[in-house]
Amino acid sequence: MIVKTETVSGVARRLNVTVPTSRIDEQFEARLKRAAKNVKINGFRPGKVPMSKIRADFGPGIRQEVINDIIRDSVFEAIQQEKINAVGMPNIEKVDLNTEGLVYEATVEVYPEVTVKGLEDLSIDRKTTEVSDDDVETMIENLRKQRQTWAVTKGMAKKDMQATFDFEGTIDGEKFEGGSAQDFKLVLGSGRMIPGFEDGIVGMKAGEEKVIDVTFPEDYQAENLRGKAAQFKITLKQVEKPKLPEIDAEFLNLFGVSEEEGVDKLKADVRKNMEREVKNSLRQQLKQAAFNAVLENNDVEVPGAMVTEEIGRQRQQMLQQFAQQFGGAQQNFDQSMLPDELFREQAERSVKLGVLIGKVLEDAKLTVDQERVKAFIEETAQSYEDPTEVIEYFNSDKQQRAQIEAVVLEDQVVDHILATAKVTDQTISYQDLIKEQQAQRAGR
């Protein structure tokens, strides 16, 4: 077999393959003989059909099968012979059978060969945060608010109070679909309604009626209402003010704290959880900052086959999330609603980053630090009721441990990058960190 290779692009090679006629003839004759033993033709006993008859009736079809099989086998032999790091399936073109033999072209994508530019040129911001006593108090207050109840009041409706009311909306004196409701409950200041609606209820008392003027936003979801001026007749039926639970034995028990241990133990547990979450969050932020810097500083071409595979992985991941949220909806979900273009940009970024980080790993000769894996598992286990059981689970389940090893190895890559890059430390408050996280989630 003769193979000539030429470079099509940084991630593609074209193989010109010639397979000698003798290989085709040898396999063709072998298959003819096997066919002669099994073929059934009227007028002949099995195994007694003349070879000339077999050749005439079945020869063309058998030869085409041989050609197809030889192309399938020889293209991978050629890839191996040329030591090509192929990605995806080769594309076969220009197949010809002539005096030289079986000739064809195979175009195959290859794993990109990259050089990661100097890590010393990267600039990375590293944020640090400390959980203060005030942050702990705020968190405990939030825990109380999550379990608050409502108490009826005869006073005026104010922000953070819950109002129960009927409303009837009109535009130019005409009612519109979705503009009316009865016994509607709303926490004032929650931002659930269009601008001006909730403010119009503030100051009212139960039993009062009022007409408020509002304007629908230009980006309102219902196109027919965008930018329209409307009036809403409000009939306020009930006002309730929030009632926070006392930090008593019942409240403490919700968080696994006994009355004897008291509020100090609750604060200590809350602080520990907050510090663990902060550490994980900052570690993830730093990892993204480091990876983003590497990606922005290195332009890399990646094979379409790798991007296609990553698109499939991301689509499947999204379908699994749908199934978890909606109970088996994955099987009935119309996958045409998740076209490739929905994932392409993120998939291309993920593949490029994977190639670059893989090269950093290779250049730095990094391997998984098993001591860090052990520490990571122990730290993760502390958030569970029985840490020992969790540690045993991660150590005994190869798949779970492999996932943790991958995370730890990524952390080692980040440490390697930071050791060389220009790192600027920045201290931010816990509350600012939370705001950043909320803004990032809102921007997705």
Side-chain angles (χ1 to χ4, degrees), residues 6 44 65 72 82 88 120 183 194-195 252 261 264-265 289 322 347 370 413 417 426 439:
E6 58 181 304
F44 297 93
E65 288 179 5
R72 180 197 63 201
E82 297 297 294
E120 66 276 4
D183 295 325
I194 61 175
L252 293 171
E261 292 172 316
D264 288 341
K265 178 64 165 59
F322 286 154
Q370 293 299 333
V413 173
I417 294 171
Q426 177 188 2

Side-chain angles (χ1 to χ4, degrees), residues 77-298:
E77 293 170 13
I79 289 171
Q80 186 175 13
Q81 175 181 311
E82 297 297 294
K83 296 181 172 58
I84 293 175
N85 191 2
V87 175
M89 296 297 293
N91 182 41
I92 308 298
E93 297 178 305
K94 299 181 180 179
V95 179
D96 184 31
L97 186 60
N98 54 42
T99 55
E100 295 181 5
L102 175 62
V103 181
Y104 65 87
E105 285 185 359
T107 303
V108 60
E109 290 187 304
V110 299
Y111 193 87
E113 297 179 2
V114 299
T115 300
V116 180
K117 295 179 183 177
L119 300 180
E120 66 276 4
D121 297 328
L122 304 182
S123 296
I124 301 170
D125 292 331
R126 177 169 54 196
K127 296 177 181 178
T128 58
T129 302
E130 289 188 4
V131 178
S132 68
D133 291 343
D134 288 342
D135 294 329
V136 174
E137 294 289 350
T138 299
M139 180 59 71
I140 291 177
E141 192 69 7
N142 289 337
L143 294 175
R144 295 176 69 197
K145 287 179 179 178
Q146 291 171 7
R147 291 157 180 80
Q148 70 183 13
T149 55
W150 299 97
V152 176
T153 178
K154 295 182 179 180
M156 292 188 302
K158 299 177 182 179
K159 184 181 177 182
D160 296 328
M161 290 186 177
Q162 181 169 264
T164 303
F165 56 95
D166 299 340
F167 66 87
E168 184 178 277
T170 58
I171 295 177
D172 297 330
E174 298 291 331
K175 296 180 182 180
F176 57 91
E177 184 178 356
S180 301
Q182 293 185 332
D183 295 325
F184 190 82
K185 289 185 179 293
L186 176 68
V187 176
L188 302 178
S190 62
R192 286 177 55 196
M193 310 300 280
I194 61 175
F197 191 101
E198 295 175 30
D199 292 339
I201 299 175
V202 172
M204 293 179 65
K205 291 184 178 181
E208 289 186 354
E209 291 187 357
K210 182 181 181 180
V211 176
I212 59 175
D213 294 303
V214 295
T215 301
F216 283 93
E218 294 293 342
D219 60 351
Y220 192 69
Q221 61 265 32
E223 189 174 349
N224 63 312
L225 298 178
R226 292 175 183 172
K228 296 287 184 69
Q231 288 188 321
F232 284 91
K233 177 183 176 182
I234 306 293
T235 304
L236 186 58
K237 292 184 172 180
Q238 182 175 272
V239 179
E240 297 169 285
K241 60 182 179 181
K243 182 180 179 181
L244 299 179
E246 296 295 330
I247 304 180
D248 53 16
E250 182 180 356
F251 183 82
L252 293 171
N253 187 58
L254 293 173
F255 303 96
V257 178
S258 67
E259 186 174 9
E260 292 74 19
E261 292 172 316
V263 69
D264 288 341
K265 178 64 165 59
L266 175 63
K267 290 181 179 180
D269 289 350
V270 168
R271 178 185 292 276
K272 187 176 181 180
N273 287 332
M274 291 172 69
E275 289 175 343
R276 184 186 300 114
E277 291 174 1
V278 164
K279 181 179 179 180
N280 291 337
S281 177
L282 291 178
R283 182 178 63 203
Q284 191 62 31
Q285 279 192 12
L286 185 59
K287 181 185 294 186
Q288 286 302 316
F291 287 174
N292 287 343
V294 171
L295 192 58
E296 290 168 7
N297 207 43
N298 293 271

